[in-house]
Amino acid sequence: MNGETVRFELTQPKRISLSESVADTIAEAIATRIISPGERIVETSLVEKLGVSRVPIREALKVLHAQGIISGGGHRGYRVAAFGADVTQQIMEVRLSLESFMLRDAIENWRQGKGSPAILWQSIDAMRSSAKAGSLRNSLIADLEFHRHIRQAADNPIVGTLWDTIARHVLIVFNFERFRDEDLEAIPRQHEQFLDWIEKQVAQPETAFTDIQIELENHMLLIARKKKGAVSISR
């Protein structure tokens, strides 16, 4: 930064639940490395760059601090937390656990005619558009929205609320090199394959929970396994 004013190349936060929207914007900036790990977060700089007042900025920083995405606080200010291997592993373990329950409930609801997995095509189309535009940021967000649609279809308030709590962590981890495919055009294809599996399960009378866990883990760790050999999430 070197004291220079640099505007975030991100969509300005929405005016609904402004502090939460600001927190999302900051998390996106961390995910796409506009704000780097260890970098100091300056409140006055955020006010200028995002065009909002200090109050929602402060509230957003408190939320991100409580979630462990930034550290510090008080007179020391905040810094982006380092997402080391141990923390990343914990995030992936929690994500797998929560999304397994979400996917189980979503599949059952779709079987009963409560909505349709076709809703997931919206996110896949967004991934395709992002790949054409070469936008990593939009690809990350579309990926998260794919899983958010499953969260909504699950209609499980407890698991959904817990998933919402780690959604920003997941967005940041998505951009780690070992979990990301450099070929953005491959990402929609990977999700098409996952959606194909989901649709097959909806057409069946039941699906074993262990099968859901295995398929979801395979989807989550596809790139990491290609790059580093066998990788698993302990359960």
Side-chain angles (χ1 to χ4, degrees):
M1 296 285 180
N2 299 322
E4 297 180 3
T5 299
V6 180
R7 295 191 66 84
F8 290 155
E9 298 175 1
L10 294 171
T11 302
Q12 294 299 293
K14 298 175 183 178
R15 297 292 167 176
I16 300 174
S17 301
L18 186 55
S19 62
E20 287 294 318
S21 185
V22 168
D24 286 341
T25 298
I26 296 172
E28 288 174 18
I30 295 170
T32 52
R33 297 299 188 268
I34 292 173
I35 303 176
S36 303
E39 184 174 331
R40 186 164 172 256
I41 305 279
V42 182
E43 183 181 306
T44 53
S45 179
L46 289 174
V47 169
E48 179 182 351
K49 291 171 181 175
L50 297 180
V52 298
S53 67
R54 287 176 178 267
V55 173
I57 294 289
R58 287 174 182 169
E59 291 176 352
L61 292 176
K62 287 178 182 177
V63 168
L64 294 173
H65 181 259
Q67 293 179 342
I69 293 173
I70 59 177
S71 60
H75 65 281
R76 297 173 299 170
Y78 294 103
R79 289 188 182 275
V80 178
F83 282 72
D86 289 346
V87 173
T88 301
Q89 176 74 6
Q90 291 166 6
I91 292 170
M92 296 300 282
E93 288 175 358
V94 172
R95 181 190 172 198
L96 176 63
S97 178
L98 293 176
E99 293 204 18
S100 294
F101 288 115
M102 284 165 40
L103 186 54
R104 176 200 65 185
D105 293 350
I107 288 172
E108 184 56 35
N109 285 337
W110 287 327
R111 278 192 190 118
Q112 296 176 16
K114 300 175 182 177
S116 166
I119 188 70
L120 299 174
W121 282 109
Q122 292 181 12
S123 299
I124 293 174
D125 288 342
M127 292 175 204
R128 290 197 189 107
S129 298
S130 300
K132 275 188 181 177
S135 174
L136 172 61
R137 171 192 174 263
N138 289 342
S139 180
L140 292 171
I141 293 173
D143 195 333
L144 188 65
E145 283 304 304
F146 181 96
H147 295 272
R148 197 186 301 279
H149 280 308
I150 295 174
R151 173 250 189 270
Q152 293 167 346
D155 195 23
N156 185 325
I158 301 300
V159 175
T161 298
L162 293 173
W163 185 87
D164 289 343
T165 303
I166 67 161
R168 294 181 184 118
H169 298 77
V170 171
L171 181 66
I172 292 168
V173 169
F174 272 170
N175 195 34
F176 285 5
E177 184 179 357
R178 60 188 177 279
F179 298 119
R180 186 185 73 237
D181 199 319
E182 286 83 359
D183 179 9
L184 294 183
E185 292 185 355
I187 296 174
R189 292 196 297 269
Q190 293 156 10
H191 285 76
E192 284 177 28
Q193 293 171 0
F194 188 39
L195 176 53
D196 181 62
W197 181 87
I198 291 172
E199 290 176 332
K200 288 177 181 176
Q201 304 315 304
V202 172
Q204 296 178 5
E206 62 180 25
T207 305
F209 187 64
T210 52
D211 290 345
I212 291 174
Q213 289 177 303
I214 291 169
E215 188 65 26
L216 187 56
E217 181 173 332
N218 288 339
H219 172 71
M220 287 167 52
L221 296 181
L222 176 64
I223 303 306
R225 285 173 174 161
K226 282 183 179 178
K227 292 185 175 182
K228 200 175 179 181
V231 177
S232 64
I233 299 177
S234 58
R235 290 192 289 273

